[in-house]
Amino acid sequence: MIGVIVVDPYQLVRRGITSILSGVDSIQVVGEASDRKEAQSLIHSLRPDICIMNNRINQQSGLEVIGQLRQAGSSCLFVYLTSSMPPAELKRALELQVEGLVLKEALPEELIHAIRMISRGRKYYDVELLESRLTDQPADITAGLTPKESEVLQMLSEGLSNKEIAARLVVTEYTVKKHVSQILSKLDLPDRTKAALYYHQSRSAIGS
């Protein structure tokens, strides 16, 4: 069972999300909060697996609240709900390593899918948010990469783990780790998340 708390200043919104999740057998909403202090108290006492955070909490940015909760020692995973993400906001979300970015306009099924993915140790980022807001200059997806590295990069963009990539390619996890290391080095990227963003950005640029 995945324990979830919902943080939003409006009771109607909180109840709406709670109603959506109440019909899912594997998810249990264990609490609701309207501000950072209530959220911190619930996280400390209930130790939920995931916190669904609105992009605005009273006078604060939801990302600012997430940062404060993490500074306070929270190990909770976060789903950030927003309607849009300016580049600076997306950059901050990545710096905080927020586990999920979901549009408020998303279907209920997408929010449920994001929660399940995050509970398994993966990240879930809405592609529309990424493609519409990334501002770095697009580059050729395969620039400098071998065909196999390009294939691994695509799988990274799907959120696959090294073990899953290894199974798909029928190679060892060690081989996949080497490919990932080469990809990050050649593209001058710091981690897997940025590699996935690079892939989606480049695909978007090619299609435009």
Side-chain angles (χ1 to χ4, degrees), residues 26 34 50 95-96 103 136 179:
S26 59
S34 62
I50 292 173
E95 289 173 347
L96 288 170
L103 279 168
D136 294 338
H179 285 317

Side-chain angles (χ1 to χ4, degrees), residues 193-205:
T193 299
K194 291 293 179 62
L197 290 174
Y198 169 87
Y199 179 87
H200 286 300
Q201 177 197 6
S202 300
R203 284 291 299 273
S204 176

Side-chain angles (χ1 to χ4, degrees), residues 80-86 90 100-105 125-134 197:
Y80 183 69
L81 292 182
T82 185
S83 293
S84 63
M85 291 198 81
L90 177 57
L101 304 176
V102 178
L103 279 168
K104 292 182 180 180
E105 294 80 6
Y125 294 157
D126 186 284
V127 173
E128 184 178 337
L129 285 173
L130 302 181
E131 290 183 346
S132 64
R133 293 299 180 183
L134 284 171
L197 290 174

Side-chain angles (χ1 to χ4, degrees), residues 111-125:
L111 176 60
I112 293 167
H113 177 63
I115 291 170
R116 285 173 170 161
M117 281 191 67
I118 292 166
S119 73
R120 299 187 192 112
R122 299 183 183 179
K123 286 183 167 59
Y124 181 87
Y125 294 157

Side-chain angles (χ1 to χ4, degrees), residues 9-28:
Y10 300 107
Q11 185 178 40
L12 188 62
V13 175
R14 297 197 305 270
R15 293 298 171 84
I17 295 173
T18 298
S19 177
I20 289 170
L21 300 181
S22 64
V24 183
D25 292 339
S26 59
I27 299 173
Q28 180 181 12

